[in-house]
Amino acid sequence: QVQLLESGGGLVQPGGSLRLSCTASGRAVNDHTMAWFRQAPGKDREFVAAIKRGSHMTSYKNSLKGRFTISRDNAKNTLYLQMNSLNSDDTAVYYCAATSSGLITSSLAQERFYDFWGQGTQVSVSS
């Protein structure tokens, strides 16, 4: 079992950047397919990005490509999400998720395949 703890959220002005971190304990992040999801007020949780187990292959929500970057530091056992050019639509609680399964690409965006979740970190974009 893996425990996930997100950090790095906060209040940022439109056009600004934030880097979220998800520190894992109990198991290695490299042994898991890892992902970020987010939930805006009054909306369903949605997929943001994922990185496959044991590789650097990534997948993104189409509308976020080019602005968001997911990465993993195996030495620190930490997952990151670099977010640039933020706007008000990015305001949400961001969740880190993991599964020990090697998901196929078409399954990466489906939260039902993830077994472990963090508590979330709030990102607010406002002037």
Side-chain angles (χ1 to χ4, degrees):
Q1 193 167 2
V2 62
Q3 292 80 42
L4 305 172
L5 181 63
E6 302 97 334
S7 62
L11 176 64
V12 62
Q13 292 186 340
S17 298
L18 277 177
R19 187 178 77 160
L20 305 183
S21 300
C22 173
T23 301
S25 59
R27 297 285 301 275
V29 292
N30 194 48
D31 293 338
H32 292 74
T33 298
M34 306 290 296
W36 290 97
F37 288 79
R38 69 183 183 183
Q39 187 168 21
K43 295 186 177 180
D44 293 334
R45 189 156 57 186
E46 66 173 1
F47 171 74
V48 173
I51 185 166
K52 286 191 173 184
R53 182 183 69 179
S55 84
H56 294 289
M57 294 182 64
T58 58
S59 178
Y60 294 90
K61 177 181 171 66
N62 283 338
S63 61
L64 299 178
K65 289 180 181 177
R67 289 200 300 123
F68 287 19
T69 303
I70 188 171
S71 63
R72 181 181 57 221
D73 186 329
N74 294 333
K76 295 183 178 180
N77 216 31
T78 299
L79 178 75
Y80 299 102
L81 182 68
Q82 177 67 44
M83 305 184 294
N84 299 325
S85 302
L86 288 162
N87 59 64
S88 58
D89 290 338
D90 298 316
T91 294
V93 177
Y94 284 72
Y95 297 92
C96 174
T99 175
S100 58
S101 300
L103 300 180
I104 60 175
T105 301
S106 61
S107 296
L108 290 171
Q110 299 182 52
E111 60 177 273
R112 63 189 177 97
F113 289 119
Y114 293 88
D115 304 306
F116 308 107
W117 292 82
Q119 293 300 308
T121 184
Q122 175 71 49
V123 172
S124 299
V125 184
S126 175
S127 55

